[in-house]
Amino acid sequence: MISFDKKHLPKYIYKFNIALIIFFAVWFAAGVPLMVTIGCFYGESAITFAVMASSFAVFLIGFFIFWLVDNKLHKRLIEQRTAELEKEFCEMPFEEAERILKERRVITDNGFVVNDDVFGNKVIPFEETWFIFNFISLNESVNMEILVFHNYNGNSGRQVEVLHLDRELYNFFANKETDLKDDPSFNLLIKDKKEFAKQALKYSKTLRWDFSGGRHA
């Protein structure tokens, strides 16, 4: 889908989208009226068919060129997003990630800190939590988050928190036994960031993977 979100799109994607729209606009503004005009003057003649063939040839050649450029830019975008993922989610010791999350009051020694509308912040024990890795591809970028659920008294529970995935959370979940160990998308992010970027950019809507029957933290 063509987007003109200049703030979030890479400059080369934004410029490509502008050029593509200009090409279509110019062709429809010049080519279509020209064919209609020639057709009115010369009717079903060789001149009319020649002009029509030339106009459509220009359109097809232009479209083919844009298709080639689009493929090249898509590969460039995958490389860029891969480099960003490798930089943002580089490895760090589990103990350090855990310490930082505790300092930020994301977790404690016993569980996850969540915001309760009635009781304020409270701690959900690790053994009562399960998680979903959620990502959305929007304007050629990928946003990732962890959905935290409370599994209480054998019930699948309800969502109690949404955590933006950062370096500390990434390393915490990459090294701790949780439901995310069974999540194919999260595992792909860990093992092959280029392939993850390639797959994630194919989607324009949120993907949710539910493995509530798996292991718990």
Side-chain angles (χ1 to χ4, degrees):
M1 182 176 66
I2 296 177
S3 173
F4 298 100
D5 187 349
K6 191 174 183 179
K7 181 179 179 181
H8 297 98
L9 286 174
K11 288 185 178 180
Y12 54 90
I13 298 293
Y14 178 79
K15 291 179 179 179
F16 173 81
N17 290 342
I18 293 293
L20 180 61
I21 292 299
I22 291 176
F23 168 73
F24 282 124
V26 170
W27 188 84
F28 278 104
V32 174
L34 177 63
M35 288 187 288
V36 172
T37 301
I38 295 298
C40 290
F41 273 100
Y42 294 97
E44 296 182 3
S45 65
I47 295 177
T48 299
F49 291 125
V51 170
M52 291 179 63
S54 299
S55 296
F56 281 108
V58 169
F59 178 83
L60 292 176
I61 291 172
F63 186 82
F64 179 70
I65 292 173
F66 275 102
W67 179 78
L68 292 177
V69 174
D70 179 64
N71 284 339
K72 183 177 181 179
L73 292 183
H74 184 67
K75 292 178 181 178
R76 178 181 174 183
L77 179 63
I78 290 174
E79 295 295 334
Q80 178 181 335
R81 294 306 183 218
T82 301
E84 292 171 353
L85 290 174
E86 290 175 345
K87 180 180 179 180
E88 183 175 3
F89 301 120
C90 58
E91 292 185 5
M92 66 187 303
F94 173 77
E95 293 76 15
E96 182 181 356
E98 188 177 39
R99 175 182 59 79
I100 294 174
L101 292 175
K102 287 179 181 178
E103 291 175 354
R104 287 163 41 190
R105 292 291 296 168
V106 176
I107 64 173
T108 67
D109 289 330
N110 301 314
F112 274 84
V113 179
V114 301
N115 181 39
D116 189 279
D117 294 335
V118 178
F119 301 103
N121 290 343
K122 67 177 183 179
V123 177
I124 304 296
F126 286 129
E127 62 271 14
E128 295 180 10
T129 55
W130 57 277
F131 313 92
I132 292 178
F133 175 52
N134 189 45
F135 67 89
I136 182 171
S137 176
L138 182 64
N139 290 332
E140 310 299 346
S141 64
V142 182
N143 299 314
M144 290 166 279
E145 59 191 16
I146 303 294
L147 310 183
V148 183
F149 289 80
H150 185 197
N151 184 18
Y152 185 66
N153 286 340
N155 297 317
S156 60
R158 62 186 180 89
Q159 181 179 319
V160 292
E161 194 65 83
V162 178
L163 303 171
H164 172 71
L165 188 66
D166 56 19
R167 184 188 178 196
E168 289 75 29
L169 274 171
Y170 167 80
N171 281 279
F172 178 84
F173 281 107
N175 293 283
K176 191 172 181 64
E177 290 296 321
T178 70
D179 302 86
L180 295 186
K181 289 289 187 179
D182 297 321
D183 189 312
S185 296
F186 190 71
N187 279 307
L188 187 60
L189 175 63
I190 296 173
K191 298 175 181 178
D192 191 342
K193 291 178 175 55
K194 183 174 183 177
E195 185 61 28
F196 176 83
K198 187 184 301 183
Q199 295 299 322
L201 289 172
K202 289 182 178 180
Y203 301 95
S204 60
K205 62 180 180 179
T206 304
L207 300 183
R208 299 180 184 272
W209 302 83
D210 185 347
F211 290 93
S212 55
R215 295 187 296 269
H216 296 282

